[in-house]
Amino acid sequence: MDLNKFDTVASLTTEKVVWSIRVRAQTVWKGINRTTNEFRGFNIIFMDEQNCRIHAFITEKLCPAFSKELKEGNIYILSNFKVHDYKGDEPNRAVRNQKHIYFDNQTNFKRITEDVPLMKEYAFDLFGLNDVPKFLNDNRFLIDVIGTVSKNEAISVISTEDTSKSRLKFKLEDGRNMVMVTFFNEFGQSFEKALKAIEAENVVVVIASAKVNKYEATGEIYLTNYPATRFYLTPRHYSVELLHQSAKCLQAEEETDSTLYTIKEIKNFTKDYIERNVLCHVTVKKVEEECNWYDNFHIECDKEVNIIDGRYRCSHCKRNLPYPDKRFRICTVCTDKTGVLPIILPDEEIQRLTGKDVYELENENREAGDEKRFPPILKEFENKQYLITLMPSKDNIEKKCSVYKAKMLSDPVEMLGSHNPQEQLTTEFEEVTENTEADSTKNLLSYSSPPTSKSTTRTRGRKTKAPVKYEVEDCEPISKLKKS
């Protein structure tokens, strides 16, 4: 099936109604008037193959024509619909798209059951738990978050006044931040049931379209469920892996050894040092220009992208990508007084120290008329001293790989010439012995000004000289001064 026959969600505008998109119904919920409890229609979050999402609405009058086919998770071809702009004052929006879709009498809605395209199961607009308080006073949007839940800390409480009402409270943590969550009634019960079905004690959960609220009694901010809210336990999503990596990094930071190791000691590490943060003080002697100075990455999988048959393909999910992310990968040769160690510097630290990313350096090369040159700014790492945090891999410890990857770099200290601050100069002191008088005289002659003749501190008397008399002859006239 030709991909070009379908429009993308990102390309939708309000200027026409002749559209045709291929999308998955990620979330479907009923719109209920909270005051009158009246059914108003179906709300849907659609996502396309580019993981772009948009909200759609089917009015109550049109629901009978579409309700039989409409189900969460199915993929559809949707055509001939209206696209409207949000006015800006609509509260509790589940998607941050400035447009939304309206079904009308001309809309076609068909489920794909054959030749189903490869499409992600869900897409999220994730925020950090530290951003949750910002949404308390901004009711325009609901929020997507990810964190870890401890099964033992999830507490369910049933109302004593009405047994049909209940609430489930638990902490959602990401290693650095924590926020309370309260799910009510059937939604909380379904979450508790799904949580108990998982054997692991700590479970990763994505909460999509949660409502930010505040306890009146304590003023504590918490997340709660809304009609659009969904939970996903250990979903197949790249954010789960990122959360695990973040947890490992946090644990590694807490376990970072403050000892300063030499290169010789690092090369002799045992298995106890696998994936453990260690510090070393080295000098970057050389930045390899023959190696690629950047790599292509798939953002979702956080894995390297290879070029196969002229197309970018992720080495992890095997998907073809239109355009990958580019990250620095600088290979260096580092030294200290004990040895030499090849180290790959990390993308984040290179961006921090240079103030530029890969795309900016590529553009500079293009403007210079030499797109294949090695960026000069990257050579400035040479002959500088860094405090580097390494995390030795299993292959490093088992001597299968001699190249180490750096995690963090200190700000550089520039060096002059071949000076190495780690090489401590030793000063040799000659043993001091008593010299004879002759030796002392010899030393004086060699290292001081020549001695004078005999001298004394006694004052010398002044010699008085007799005056000499003379007479001026009277006949000698006194000359007059000439007037000038």
Side-chain angles (χ1 to χ4, degrees), residues 201-243:
E201 174 59 33
N202 296 316
V203 181
V204 176
V205 57
V206 172
I207 304 176
S209 303
K211 174 71 174 176
V212 180
N213 215 329
K214 183 171 68 173
Y215 294 115
E216 294 183 0
T218 62
E220 184 179 19
I221 295 175
Y222 69 98
L223 297 174
T224 188
N225 57 293
Y226 213 67
T229 306
R230 297 292 183 271
F231 63 83
Y232 304 87
L233 302 181
T234 60
R236 290 180 293 179
H237 193 260
Y238 73 94
S239 60
V240 176
E241 179 61 27
L242 293 179
L243 183 65

Side-chain angles (χ1 to χ4, degrees), residues 192-407:
E192 184 180 23
K193 182 179 179 180
L195 193 63
K196 289 181 178 179
I198 297 178
E199 295 182 0
E201 174 59 33
N202 296 316
V203 181
V204 176
V205 57
V206 172
I207 304 176
S209 303
K211 174 71 174 176
V212 180
N213 215 329
K214 183 171 68 173
Y215 294 115
E216 294 183 0
T218 62
E220 184 179 19
I221 295 175
Y222 69 98
L223 297 174
T224 188
N225 57 293
Y226 213 67
T229 306
R230 297 292 183 271
F231 63 83
Y232 304 87
L233 302 181
T234 60
R236 290 180 293 179
H237 193 260
Y238 73 94
S239 60
V240 176
E241 179 61 27
L242 293 179
L243 183 65
H244 288 316
Q245 292 179 6
S246 177
K248 288 182 180 179
C249 290
L250 181 62
Q251 183 180 3
E253 289 175 8
E254 295 174 350
E255 298 176 354
T256 297
D257 191 346
S258 59
T259 305
L260 202 61
Y261 292 95
T262 64
I263 289 178
K264 183 178 180 180
E265 291 172 330
I266 291 172
K267 289 182 176 181
N268 293 325
F269 277 161
T270 61
K271 63 180 181 179
D272 295 333
Y273 287 86
I274 295 177
E275 295 188 354
R276 175 178 167 184
N277 282 358
V278 295
L279 299 175
C280 61
H281 198 193
V282 297
T283 302
V284 177
K285 286 294 185 180
K286 182 181 180 182
V287 174
E288 294 287 355
E289 298 184 41
E290 297 179 0
C291 301
N292 291 334
W293 55 276
Y294 70 86
D295 278 334
N296 297 310
F297 270 81
H298 185 195
I299 298 177
E300 292 187 9
C301 298
D302 197 38
K303 299 294 182 181
E304 189 175 345
V305 173
N306 301 317
I307 300 178
I308 300 177
D309 297 331
R311 303 187 68 180
Y312 294 108
R313 181 172 297 175
C314 177
S315 59
H316 179 68
C317 67
K318 309 302 181 183
R319 292 176 60 193
N320 290 329
L321 307 176
Y323 198 67
D325 187 27
K326 295 183 179 182
R327 302 178 185 177
F328 285 111
R329 184 182 185 274
I330 298 182
C331 302
T332 65
V333 177
C334 301
T335 65
D336 66 5
K337 62 181 179 180
T338 67
V340 179
L341 196 69
I343 299 176
I344 298 177
L345 305 185
D347 174 76
E348 297 85 355
E349 294 294 83
I350 296 173
Q351 289 195 45
R352 180 180 66 84
L353 294 172
T354 63
K356 298 179 182 292
D357 58 25
V358 173
Y359 300 98
E360 290 175 298
L361 296 190
E362 281 189 320
N363 185 59
E364 290 180 2
N365 285 352
R366 194 177 301 111
E367 292 179 350
D370 187 2
E371 296 186 13
K372 295 183 179 180
R373 74 169 181 174
F374 191 87
I377 193 173
L378 301 182
K379 294 290 289 182
E380 295 180 6
F381 283 87
E382 291 184 343
N383 295 324
K384 291 181 181 177
Q385 188 182 45
Y386 296 89
L387 185 66
I388 297 182
T389 302
L390 300 176
M391 181 179 282
S393 66
K394 183 179 179 181
D395 288 342
N396 292 142
I397 302 301
E398 295 179 352
K399 311 299 182 185
K400 295 179 181 179
C401 178
S402 59
V403 180
Y404 289 72
K405 290 185 178 181
K407 287 187 59 181

Side-chain angles (χ1 to χ4, degrees), residues 78-90:
L78 179 64
S79 57
N80 301 334
F81 50 85
K82 295 180 180 179
V83 180
H84 291 181
D85 286 321
Y86 278 109
K87 297 178 181 179
D89 56 352
E90 297 86 352

